[in-house]
Amino acid sequence: MSWAGLPFLPGTSSLVEELDKKLLVVLRDGRKIIGILRSFDQFANLVLERTTERIIVGEQYCDLPLGLYIIRGENVVLIGTLDELMPEMPPNMVSVSLNQIRQAQKEEKEASELKGMLRKQMDFLDVE
């Protein structure tokens, strides 16, 4: 049986079908990158065009433009196609400036650290 004429091996996952489509890529460090897939290789290294980093804190978000972006495959956790017909964000999400989202991130981090500190101090109660 010849594989000639088939764009890729059947039964294998391939990014060939995703070329020139808008993708959401979640990275190992939690960042969410949105862009148009222009190229990839066998290691899942990606080249994205018109790329933005979407920063989400609570019900606020900010799209930080990155331009042409190369992502090393070992940092990719999840890749998904974005439906062009669907709105990108739910109606309850509010777009804010970069300064506002950075401030919200700082406040969220401080609240998380405070919660962790309080939990550590309350461990002696052994309440579950």
Side-chain angles (χ1 to χ4, degrees), residues 26-97:
V26 179
L27 302 181
R28 218 168 43 176
D29 62 3
R31 288 185 293 159
K32 294 154 204 70
I33 307 295
I34 298 171
I36 298 170
L37 181 64
R38 291 300 181 204
S39 184
F40 67 94
D41 65 10
Q42 71 269 25
F43 303 110
N45 296 321
L46 308 173
V47 177
L48 300 175
E49 186 179 62
R50 289 190 289 186
T51 308
T52 59
E53 178 182 354
R54 177 153 296 158
I55 304 168
I56 301 173
V57 178
E59 292 188 355
Q60 298 178 336
Y61 76 96
C62 177
D63 286 338
L64 178 63
L66 301 173
L68 187 66
Y69 210 67
I70 299 172
I71 301 173
R72 190 175 168 104
E74 67 182 21
N75 293 317
V76 174
V77 174
L78 178 77
I79 300 174
T81 313
L82 291 178
D83 188 352
E84 296 291 332
L85 301 176
M86 296 289 292
E88 283 195 23
M89 296 300 290
N92 63 323
M93 298 295 288
V94 178
S95 178
V96 297
S97 71

